[in-house]
Amino acid sequence: MPASPVSVERQGRIAVIRFDAGDGKNALSRQIMRDLTVAARGFEDDTETSAIVLAGAADVFTLGFDLREATLGDVGLAERRQLQSLGPRLCRAWQELEPMTFGAVEGWCVGGGVALLAALDLRLAGAGARFYVPEIERGMNMSWQSVPRLVALLGPARTKRLTVMAERLDAPRAQDWGLVDEMVPAGGAFDAAMAMAERVAALPPVQLRMCKEGVNAASTALHHAVSFMDRDQFAVAAQSEDFREGVRAFLEKRPPRYTGR
């Protein structure tokens, strides 16, 4: 059985979780999503860790959900909803972590990668990082319960520009908009995240967790109430001709032709 592309390394009160498919795309396959969820859930009973750094490949964080797995074929509604729970379950697992979480981004961070980053506490990006949410251009809605998280970070207008207009953001613009907390020279995101993690690891661990829990309770109280339906919205969108056209056009590297059907 091949080794998982997700690895966990512990350094005192700091844990480093990396995912790297080794193919230059680092797409979020269903297996990688499951493995990243398991990695996060592995800290549920942990009382020692104060900070967790999440990093993708050295030159690309992730190109997002693997569209080769987007078409589910002749799958029943119950199984379809279960498969479409992988993304929101992944983001929820990371948001619910008690240690502080840091994302280290180099290169492209696309679609589901942006959704995952929004579930973390802080995001650090190399100067060459790029952010893009192309779901609407593939005939999909932005799901994984990420919209309220993005609104909290960017505000409603900029969230619409990111998710409805599919605007691409370079690192300086992402920092200006609030998606990135700190920009560093290209190649330096991981070291910058580790430096922040070391500062966190020096703080009293229980008080750290209590403070984070209080902030999250205040800022996310209504998130589930306004986003629980996006999985079923995705299921509806996935039945449309425009969804099939969007995926085909992407895989065939041509402009899509949408009809509203």
Side-chain angles (χ1 to χ4, degrees):
M1 185 175 181
S4 169
V6 176
S7 64
V8 180
E9 176 189 352
R10 298 173 187 264
Q11 303 177 19
R13 289 193 176 276
I14 301 172
V16 176
I17 299 180
R18 298 180 184 272
F19 66 105
D20 186 354
D23 59 1
K25 298 179 180 179
N26 214 24
L28 292 169
S29 66
R30 293 190 187 111
Q31 190 57 54
I32 287 180
M33 287 193 285
R34 289 187 179 100
D35 290 348
L36 282 172
T37 302
V38 169
R41 294 298 187 206
F43 290 87
E44 287 181 343
D45 296 320
D46 178 291
T47 59
E48 301 297 323
T49 303
S50 291
I52 301 174
V53 174
L54 176 65
D59 56 353
V60 57
F61 186 73
T62 176
L63 293 187
F65 177 65
D66 192 341
L67 279 183
R68 293 171 298 182
E69 299 182 352
T71 303
L72 299 178
D74 187 19
V75 173
L77 180 59
E79 186 177 355
R80 184 180 298 272
R81 294 183 85 240
Q82 185 67 20
L83 288 170
Q84 289 167 348
S85 295
L86 292 174
R89 188 182 298 129
L90 164 66
C91 293
R92 186 166 58 250
W94 279 86
Q95 180 172 287
E96 291 176 351
L97 282 165
E98 292 192 14
M100 285 284 287
T101 54
F102 302 87
V105 182
E106 301 286 354
W108 280 102
C109 176
V110 177
V114 175
L116 177 55
L117 278 184
L120 306 182
D121 294 315
L122 293 171
R123 291 147 292 277
L124 298 97
R130 299 289 185 272
F131 302 85
Y132 174 40
V133 176
E135 269 70 1
I136 195 167
E137 295 181 338
R138 311 288 180 253
M140 310 172 191
N141 64 308
M142 184 58 176
S143 55
W144 296 14
Q145 296 191 268
S146 61
V147 169
R149 297 185 185 109
L150 291 170
V151 171
L153 291 173
L154 283 69
R158 284 174 170 170
T159 299
K160 289 171 186 174
R161 290 176 68 177
L162 182 67
T163 64
V164 179
M165 298 175 66
E167 291 191 22
R168 292 168 169 83
L169 306 182
D170 59 17
R173 196 177 184 198
Q175 183 180 34
D176 180 60
W177 281 24
L179 182 60
V180 167
D181 296 287
E182 185 170 318
M183 184 182 69
V184 297
F190 178 76
D191 288 343
M194 287 296 291
M196 278 198 177
E198 287 165 2
R199 288 167 54 191
V200 164
L203 298 171
V206 177
Q207 289 86 336
L208 165 75
R209 292 177 178 222
M210 290 191 292
C211 288
K212 171 179 169 173
E213 185 177 20
V215 173
N216 281 3
S219 63
T220 67
L222 293 176
H223 280 195
H224 180 73
V226 299
S227 64
F228 73 91
M229 78 297 291
D230 70 18
R231 174 183 59 170
D232 291 325
Q233 289 176 330
F234 186 95
V236 171
Q239 299 303 306
S240 70
E241 291 182 14
D242 280 348
F243 172 85
R244 291 186 286 274
E245 167 64 9
V247 173
R248 279 196 305 266
F250 173 77
L251 296 176
E252 295 169 5
K253 303 185 187 308
R254 60 171 175 80
R257 296 180 291 273
Y258 291 129
T259 63
R261 297 175 66 87

